[in-house]
Amino acid sequence: MTFHHSMSFKQIVLVGQETQRALLLLTEEGRIYSLVVNETQLDQPRSYTVQLALRKMSHCLPHLRVACMASNQSSTLYITDQGGVYFEVHTPGVYRDLFGTLQAFDPLDQQMPLALSLPAKILFCALGYNHLGLVDEFGRIFMQGNNRYGQLGTGDKMDRGEPTQVHYLQRPIALWCGLNHSLVLSQGSDFSKELLGCGCGAGGRLPGWPKGSASFVKLHVKVPLCACSLCSTRECLYMLSSHDIEHHPAYRDLPASRVLGTPEPDPGSIAPQDPGGTAQACEEYLSQIHSCPTLQDRMEKMKEIVGWMPLMAAQKDFFWEALDMLQRAAGGVGQGPPTPES
């Protein structure tokens, strides 16, 4: 496939089914063009000409420059150079999964971009089949959409019709949303890198967690020091390892007035008693552990909770390794499953 020499593209993605695939091309000027490709006919020995058309995102909003885009079979996500987010959703089922309603869905105008309301500038995104992830300029991660397998990492399996912050994760290097799981590449204070995942663990999608997890947990994967990008399918996990001195997420520090859970300063008080509701969160964790029927279940729950807590990478590794040792020791004592009293 060749293009006119005046056309210069910075990103190319596919959207749509195999017989009616659209190739979306993002130019250096931030405009989006599309052309329709029937992949079932590409193996035939013939040549033909197709017409490039300006996508509705650029036609209806010519003042916006698109910085990057993400796509799947039935939707496309655009991020502008100002950090705004716009959506194209082409099927009612995916629209309902993402937004929890069909109120604004127009089956006759599926390319009309829909704006997402967000509190800050978005730097990059990930788009799964029926869920998505966004990372803003402060390094906060927001998830939205179907949560049947816990792929949003919110600790439950409730769908979210609007962006919901994952409070215990921040400043990721990369984010990936798959069919029914999500991955985050993060870096510790000692510059070591680790891979966290949530959602469905079938087929090895979450190494070390075959039963899956509704919260992001550390996966049993050795991550290269220069890993910078992720891609995951049902059976395979890919990490791109490279180093570019000009490319790194430039996160800003979140102003104190916008930190969730930070109380207003009181002239008569010295310090807040429970910043961020830490004590309340720990009480909830203990309640979840107490509700587990066996010692092994309590160990597994404790591993999940360690993944939720805002600890350093070395501290999480210590707790996970210690819990593994205790779990192995407990599994070799006595006959049958341990009781809660043990």
Side-chain angles (χ1 to χ4, degrees):
M1 188 177 292
T2 58
F3 299 91
H4 191 270
H5 63 83
S6 64
M7 303 292 288
S8 177
F9 304 113
K10 59 188 293 187
Q11 188 181 3
I12 301 176
V13 299
L14 285 169
V15 62
Q17 301 297 324
E18 183 179 6
T19 57
Q20 195 70 10
R21 196 89 77 184
L23 193 66
L24 305 185
L25 306 105
L26 174 61
T27 68
E28 295 287 351
E29 294 76 27
R31 294 166 69 83
I32 300 170
Y33 291 87
S34 67
L35 59 89
V36 177
V37 179
N38 187 339
E39 293 186 8
T40 61
Q41 299 178 358
L42 292 181
D43 59 347
Q44 299 178 10
R46 66 186 182 90
S47 62
Y48 57 92
T49 302
V50 293
Q51 181 71 38
L52 275 179
L54 192 64
R55 198 72 172 178
K56 202 157 196 173
M57 172 69 189
S58 295
H59 179 73
C60 295
L61 303 171
H63 59 288
L64 296 180
R65 290 171 55 94
V66 176
C68 63
M69 54 186 177
S71 68
N72 60 25
Q73 287 188 349
S74 55
S75 53
T76 311
L77 190 65
Y78 305 106
I79 297 181
T80 69
D81 60 349
Q82 298 299 314
V85 179
Y86 291 83
F87 234 118
E88 282 181 20
V89 185
H90 306 150
T91 63
V94 173
Y95 189 97
R96 186 186 295 107
D97 281 337
L98 288 171
F99 298 100
T101 178
L102 288 175
Q103 184 174 359
F105 180 74
D106 186 356
L108 302 179
D109 194 5
Q110 299 173 357
Q111 290 188 21
M112 177 58 69
L114 306 170
L116 285 184
S117 178
L118 294 156
K121 177 181 178 180
I122 297 300
L123 297 185
F124 61 94
C125 66
L127 182 60
Y129 177 70
N130 53 14
H131 75 291
L132 63 96
L134 304 165
V135 180
D136 72 2
E137 59 185 325
F138 303 112
R140 297 177 297 181
I141 299 176
F142 296 86
M143 305 294 288
Q144 177 177 339
N146 185 286
N147 199 24
R148 179 180 178 184
Y149 296 91
Q151 61 262 46
L152 301 186
T154 53
D156 55 45
K157 295 185 178 180
M158 296 173 55
D159 297 346
R160 301 296 198 279
E162 58 186 20
T164 301
Q165 184 179 352
V166 180
H167 293 283
Y168 57 92
L169 282 182
Q170 57 183 350
R171 301 192 173 222
I173 296 173
L175 173 66
W176 175 265
C177 292
L179 176 65
N180 47 29
H181 69 297
S182 303
L183 302 174
V184 165
L185 179 64
S186 66
Q187 179 171 284
S189 57
D190 57 352
F191 298 102
S192 64
K193 293 183 179 177
E194 60 184 15
L195 188 61
L196 307 173
C198 65
C200 178
R205 270 166 262 188
L206 303 180
W209 301 84
K211 295 182 179 179
S213 173
S215 301
F216 281 98
V217 292
K218 183 180 178 181
L219 304 183
H220 297 183
V221 175
K222 185 174 178 60
V223 182
L225 289 176
C226 291
C228 61
S229 183
L230 294 170
C231 178
S232 177
T233 63
R234 290 183 179 181
E235 294 85 14
C236 299
L237 168 64
Y238 305 90
M239 285 182 283
L240 174 65
S241 185
S242 67
H243 181 67
D244 185 350
I245 60 174
E246 296 182 354
H247 179 72
H248 59 89
Y251 293 125
R252 298 171 51 201
D253 291 329
L254 187 66
S257 60
R258 297 176 65 176
V259 177
L260 293 177
T262 303
E264 293 296 327
D266 183 0
S269 63
I270 298 176
Q273 297 296 317
D274 184 19
T278 304
Q280 183 179 356
C282 289
E283 289 179 4
E284 174 62 26
Y285 295 156
L286 286 174
S287 175
Q288 293 181 23
I289 294 173
H290 183 72
S291 65
C292 295
T294 67
L295 177 60
Q296 293 292 340
D297 290 339
R298 290 183 179 186
M299 290 287 192
E300 293 294 339
K301 177 56 69 175
M302 186 61 197
K303 288 181 185 178
E304 286 191 26
I305 292 172
V306 169
W308 304 342
M309 301 180 77
L311 302 173
M312 296 174 60
Q315 293 172 323
K316 289 184 178 182
D317 286 341
F318 166 75
F319 282 118
W320 275 321
E321 184 63 30
L323 287 167
D324 278 336
M325 292 172 60
L326 293 172
Q327 197 169 18
R328 288 194 295 268
V333 177
Q335 300 295 325
T339 63
E341 289 72 24
S342 63

